[in-house]
Amino acid sequence: MDVAALLQEAGKAQQISYSPYSRFKVGAALLGKSGQVYTGTNIENSSYGLSICAERTALFNAINQGEREFQAIAVKGSGKGYIYPCGACLQVLAEFAPQLQIIVGNEQDEWEDYLLSDLLPQAFKLSSQEG
Ligand code: THU
């Protein structure tokens, strides 16, 4: 996997963030098992609670295009530090990719990587599911 290329896609998505309320731009790039990359940005709303994070936008973009298995997600956010996916996004990502690799990048082109199971060791899961 080309981590730098995935982070670059996250950076491009970050630039189109709609975040007039927080002014915090986030971009995510999700790599499917097929090799296809799906991007997402955060999209806010004047009714703040209806806003959606970049990671879920990327995942829903992918699911909507028929991909259901994923290798990795790269995330970039405003500011100098790393942005870690929020708990809600980790739970939603775990639905499809409990072993997902999570790459966080900063503005200095440095990055760290984790497994989803490091960040959310006990994701909620129904014992019987239909799919
Ligand atoms: N946000 C994301 O897009 N991803 C995260 O992992 C954390 C937060 C967004 C939501 C909101 O638009 C803004 O960042 C500030 O919370």
Side-chain angles (χ1 to χ4, degrees):
M1 188 209 336
D2 186 342
V3 171
L6 202 60
L7 280 165
Q8 194 176 9
E9 290 303 311
K12 282 192 217 160
Q14 186 187 2
Q15 287 166 26
I16 55 171
S17 166
Y18 178 73
S19 46
Y21 306 106
S22 72
R23 305 230 168 257
F24 193 84
K25 295 173 185 269
V26 185
L30 181 62
L31 177 63
K33 286 259 167 84
S34 69
Q36 179 81 31
V37 174
Y38 305 89
T39 59
T41 193
N42 55 327
I43 305 168
E44 298 185 345
N45 190 273
S46 56
S47 178
Y48 298 165
L50 303 181
S51 303
I52 187 165
C53 295
E55 296 90 328
R56 274 176 291 155
T57 305
L59 178 67
F60 296 159
N61 179 16
I63 299 301
N64 195 53
Q65 293 186 60
E67 183 115 28
R68 291 210 175 163
E69 293 187 299
F70 304 100
Q71 302 179 49
I73 190 169
V75 184
K76 289 190 82 172
S78 299
K80 289 188 168 32
Y82 295 120
I83 300 306
Y84 300 91
C86 76
C89 287
L90 292 171
Q91 173 66 34
V92 174
L93 289 163
E95 179 82 14
F96 293 95
Q99 304 302 325
L100 191 68
Q101 188 181 352
I102 295 179
I103 299 156
V104 292
N106 66 16
E107 284 176 350
Q108 292 78 47
D109 290 331
E110 298 163 327
W111 55 275
E112 293 178 349
D113 75 320
Y114 299 87
L115 291 177
L116 192 154
S117 55
D118 296 330
L119 302 182
L120 187 69
Q122 298 291 351
F124 174 75
K125 195 154 179 37
L126 288 175
S127 52
S128 66
Q129 283 185 335
E130 293 176 16

